Each structure stands twice: as structure tokens, then as C-alpha cells.
Amino acid sequence: MNSPGLLARLSRHRRADVIPILPSATGRLTRMVGLTLEAVGINTSVGQNCLVVNPNGLETEAEVVGFHNDITYLMPVQRVEGLQPGAKVVPVDRRSALVIGEHLCGRVLNGIGRPLDGKGPVDSLKRSDFKIRQINPLHRHPIDAPLDVGIRAINALLTVGKGQRIGLFAGSGVGKSVLMGMMTRFTSADIVVVGLIGERGREVKEFIDQILGPEGLKKAVVVASPADDAPLMRLRAAQLATRIAEFFRDQGKNVLLLMDSLTRYAQAQREISLSIGEPPATKGYPPSVFSKIPELVERAGNGEDGGGSITAFYTVLTEGDDLQDPIADAARAILDGHIVLSRNLAEEGIYPAIDVEASISRVMPNVVDEQHLASAVQFKRLVANYRSNKDLVTIGAYTKGSDPLLDEAIDKYPSLMDFVAQKMSEGSTMSKSRAELAKVLMPAPGEVHQE
């Protein structure tokens, strides 16, 4: 099954981050169906890394994702080229190429930690691995302090706490990438980790060069796996971004993790699961998808007392602006709040198009004082009152003076929307956001403020 020539070739040509495990474990490739490779003759476990070696020496890295009797199912980490029947399958011990430290700030990596930015290799004496260190939920520090994200509407109306995990729900083309770039530039967090999962390659470059910019990149680590990557690479990119955030949290830093998008992560897992025969359940998503999402999301949050925090924003694509999409519904149930971006507001030219009426931060009452919370509730009441009566006002069926709260909402609505809107180049600190909120809600001369 094995030959000295194969081992010698591996020893000469293999990458420095992989070594063969046991010569006797070598198997052979029998079939390739869709994205899945089938091999026989290897005795290994799920999650094990392997090299598929063609007679011409071409190597393809793969991971064991399942098995049936004597057949082992593997999924390529990268795009497959030149595979042949009978290729050798060699289990390997993948030495972690993941090097984490301050030197990663300003760098762009792929899903296995290799640089994409052309700035040379990333190197450090300190190496890490993908092993998940679970934190006892009773040992986590509670969310009791706000995090300034630099966005006026979020700071004032949907205040985010350090260690909170929140969803950013949006359809295509309503400005979620721009909002993420603004948070990266203006947040008070020590480190920002950005995971671009399953995005178009053009959008990856535009996000880094135009939206993030040199200023935002200085304190950011970007992990990118575009849509044409293999599904396993997209999964690894999301896990790598989370692992980097965990490393900095363990150093006592406050980390802002921006993951775009959780939907593409779920779709990558769906591709893998369907390829190995798992039956679809809800709208084509196999059950394993709905277990993978909380596994990823629960890694964010606060560390143990005295440690750092990971405040995470996960974008969720709502196809056709449907908030009942199965991934959106699952994410909303396990996250600590959601921010909805409205297409109607975007069409009106209001950016960021945050629908404050449909959004909520579940930890806001724990991190702000009563006066701040009351102001945010009053803002939402005015917006909701105006929108529910907008048709009556537009056709002239409403007589001013019939409802004092609606009168106030009509008078203040333009100012309320001006408060939500914010320029890309403009940041707003927490204190400034609160002051502007109080100014917007201040009663006009002669006006009776409605409680």
C-alpha cells in the first residue's frame, strides 16, 4: 500500500506545516463525487488532515468529514485540480500555520492563515492551534459596560455591551459592508478582527481598500475567503477569525469581531453536509448547520473575570428581505440582539439604513442608565407613531391637535432621521451620541413633552 519512494517525495516536497503520521495508514482515492473524495485503506478519524498525492507529485490537502464502513469521505480544503483515480491518501499531522500576535494587525490572511496581501510571510515565535477552549458559562464576566462602536444610532439607541453578540440583518445592497467599515475605523475596541466569508472577490478588495482604508486596517486583522473558495476553506476562515479574536481576548484586550457573513458560513456547511449524504431538513439546510452556528457564535463573548472580551457582529443575509429565513430565525434566537437594515430607508438615502423600530439590543438595559434608556424608548415611540400613521398624514386625513404624541412625531421626524443618518467619514463617540439624542428629543418652545 505504501512505498519508500512516496515517503521520500513527501519528505522533500511537503510544506513545512504538514508531516506524515504513519506509513501504514496510507490509502488510495477511489472516487470523486461532486465536492467529496472517497478513499479506502486509511484508518483515521473525522477532522483528520490528509494529503492526496498524485503520481506526478501534485498534492491536494483534504479533511476527513465522514465515513461509511471502509469508505472514508474527504473534503478538499482548496480547489481541486488534476486528481486521478488511485492517488495516494496520506494522513498528516498538520502543524499549525496560525501565528498570532500584534504583528497580524494590518494583515490580510486566508482561511488557513497564509497572507493574501503580498506583504511577506507572517512570522512569530508564538504559535497557536484551532483547539477550542470552552469557557464555563458561570465563569464568564457579565456584560456590564458599553462598547463605543462609533455609530450614533447604535451608541444612543441600540447600545452594545462589551462581550455582546449581535446580528446585522440585511438584504443585498443596503450598506452592511459600509457600516462594518465605519465601526472598524471609529470603535474604541483595542483590536478589530474582520472575517469576510463567501463574499465576491471584488467586494473583498473594495472593502479593504475603500471601505476599511489604511486608517481602519492599522488595528484590524482581516481573514478573507471569497465565494470561489472551497466550502471547507470558508468554514476554516470563520473559525480562524474567531480563533484570532479569542487569542487577543485571552491577552486581556477588548476585541470587536465583525463576521460577514454568518449566512455564507451556514451555506458552506450545507454544501459539505449534502455532499456526504446528510438529508436536508428546513429549506434545504441539514440539521448539522443549526448545530454549527451556535458552536461558532458561543465562542465570542466575555472571558473569565479579569480577562478581555469579544464583542461580535454577525451579518445575516435576508434573501428577499425575509426575516423568517431559517438562518436568520436561528441566528436571532441565539444572539443577544439584532440590528435590521431597511431597504426603504436606503432608498430614501438614509445611511446607515438602521431601522430602529425593528432592532433591539437585549443587553442595553444592563449597560446604560435609566435616563439614557428612557430617551431611547421615547425615540422609538416617536418613530413608530409616525410610521403607523404616515398614510393618514400623507393624504391629509389627520387633523393636527387630535393626538399630541403624533403631533410631536410629525414635527420631529425629519430630525429623527437626520440623527440616524451618518456620513462614512464621520465618527460619533458615546458621549456625543447621547448629547445629540437629548438635543433631538428636547421639547420645542411651548411644546408639552409627552411621557
Side-chain angles (χ1 to χ4, degrees):
M1 201 67 187
N2 184 43
S3 67
L6 172 64
L7 291 179
R9 188 163 63 250
L10 282 172
S11 299
R12 290 194 305 269
H13 299 295
R14 68 172 184 263
R15 295 186 307 276
D17 59 341
V18 295
I19 57 174
I21 292 181
L22 290 173
S24 59
T26 303
R28 62 185 178 84
L29 189 67
T30 59
R31 191 166 72 145
M32 178 176 179
V33 180
L35 301 173
T36 310
L37 308 179
E38 295 183 8
V40 296
I42 56 174
N43 182 17
T44 187
S45 58
V46 173
Q48 175 66 55
N49 289 278
C50 296
L51 286 182
V52 183
V53 186
N54 273 330
N56 60 6
L58 183 66
E59 298 176 1
T60 299
E61 186 176 348
E63 181 179 310
V64 176
V65 294
F67 56 85
H68 178 68
N69 295 331
D70 60 341
I71 299 175
T72 301
Y73 300 108
L74 303 101
M75 186 71 62
V77 175
Q78 296 171 302
R79 282 175 289 182
V80 176
E81 293 180 357
L83 283 184
Q84 299 175 2
K88 300 293 184 182
V89 181
V90 185
V92 295
D93 177 14
R94 186 176 185 274
R95 291 174 176 172
S96 174
L98 177 58
V99 288
I100 305 178
E102 300 286 349
H103 65 289
L104 287 183
C105 292
R107 300 303 303 269
V108 183
L109 312 175
N110 69 2
I112 52 178
R114 294 174 186 157
L116 295 174
D117 50 17
K119 296 180 181 178
V122 289
D123 196 14
S124 173
L125 296 177
K126 182 173 288 188
R127 290 177 177 264
S128 187
D129 54 34
F130 283 94
K131 184 180 292 185
I132 300 174
R133 185 178 72 87
Q134 291 185 329
I135 301 177
N136 187 323
L138 298 182
H139 294 169
R140 285 184 184 265
H141 186 78
I143 301 174
D144 55 9
L147 177 70
D148 186 348
V149 296
I151 307 299
R152 183 167 50 239
I154 297 177
N155 280 343
L157 306 173
L158 304 162
T159 310
V160 174
K162 292 179 181 178
Q164 183 175 358
R165 299 155 304 184
I166 195 163
L168 193 61
F169 291 72
S172 56
V174 294
K176 67 181 186 305
S177 296
V178 174
L179 180 58
M180 289 176 58
M182 292 172 66
M183 285 193 284
T184 303
R185 294 196 302 274
F186 302 129
T187 183
S188 63
D190 301 318
I191 297 289
V192 181
V193 180
V194 182
L196 301 177
I197 313 301
E199 296 296 312
R200 291 184 287 269
R202 174 186 61 81
E203 289 184 335
V204 172
K205 181 170 178 57
E206 286 182 359
F207 180 86
I208 295 170
D209 293 346
Q210 300 175 20
I211 298 175
L212 194 59
E215 180 184 352
L217 192 58
K218 285 180 182 178
K219 67 171 183 178
V221 183
V222 180
V223 180
S225 180
D228 59 343
D229 273 353
L232 192 57
M233 178 69 86
R234 281 175 265 150
L235 283 186
R236 286 192 175 183
Q239 294 163 356
L240 174 57
T242 304
R243 183 66 190 90
I244 293 173
E246 288 174 328
F247 175 89
F248 286 114
R249 178 185 63 190
D250 293 343
Q251 306 304 308
K253 297 183 181 296
N254 293 316
V255 183
L256 178 63
L257 172 63
L258 303 175
M259 188 79 70
D260 186 14
S261 70
L262 193 64
T263 304
R264 303 298 188 206
Y265 173 82
Q267 290 174 346
Q269 178 61 29
R270 177 175 65 180
E271 291 178 46
I272 294 173
S273 300
L274 293 178
S275 294
I276 62 176
E278 185 178 355
T282 307
K283 291 191 176 180
Y285 287 97
S288 63
V289 172
F290 299 100
S291 65
K292 282 287 187 181
I293 292 176
E295 280 182 15
L296 181 73
V297 169
E298 285 294 326
R299 293 169 62 182
N302 282 333
E304 298 177 356
D305 287 341
S309 66
I310 300 176
T311 307
F313 282 78
Y314 298 94
T315 66
V316 181
L317 301 176
T318 52
E319 298 179 6
D321 298 326
D322 178 17
L323 293 177
Q324 305 308 315
D325 174 87
I327 299 303
D329 196 47
R332 192 165 49 244
I334 62 175
L335 294 171
D336 305 320
H338 53 272
I339 296 174
V340 178
L341 299 187
S342 165
R343 188 172 301 279
N344 291 335
L345 291 178
E347 290 171 350
E348 293 174 12
I350 298 173
Y351 289 100
I354 298 174
D355 186 345
V356 296
E357 186 183 3
S359 306
I360 189 171
S361 171
R362 294 178 182 171
V363 305
M364 183 176 178
N366 302 333
V367 297
V368 300
D369 56 48
E370 292 184 4
Q371 180 59 46
H372 184 175
L373 186 61
S375 297
V377 171
Q378 177 67 9
F379 189 103
K380 285 190 172 187
R381 286 179 62 196
L382 292 173
V383 171
N385 204 294
Y386 177 85
R387 289 180 178 169
S388 62
N389 294 281
K390 183 178 179 180
D391 292 341
L392 291 176
V393 175
T394 303
I395 65 175
Y398 173 73
T399 304
K400 189 172 183 179
S402 303
D403 183 346
L405 182 61
L406 181 54
D407 291 341
E408 183 183 0
I410 294 171
D411 292 338
K412 284 189 166 63
Y413 188 76
S415 299
L416 301 179
M417 291 300 99
D418 288 342
F419 178 85
V420 173
Q422 185 172 329
K423 295 179 181 178
M424 281 182 59
S425 57
E426 171 194 1
S428 181
T429 63
M430 183 71 70
S431 58
K432 182 180 178 182
S433 300
R434 287 194 59 177
E436 292 185 5
L437 174 62
K439 184 178 179 181
V440 168
L441 296 178
M442 185 180 299
E447 176 182 286
V448 179
H449 189 73
Q450 298 294 317
E451 296 293 342

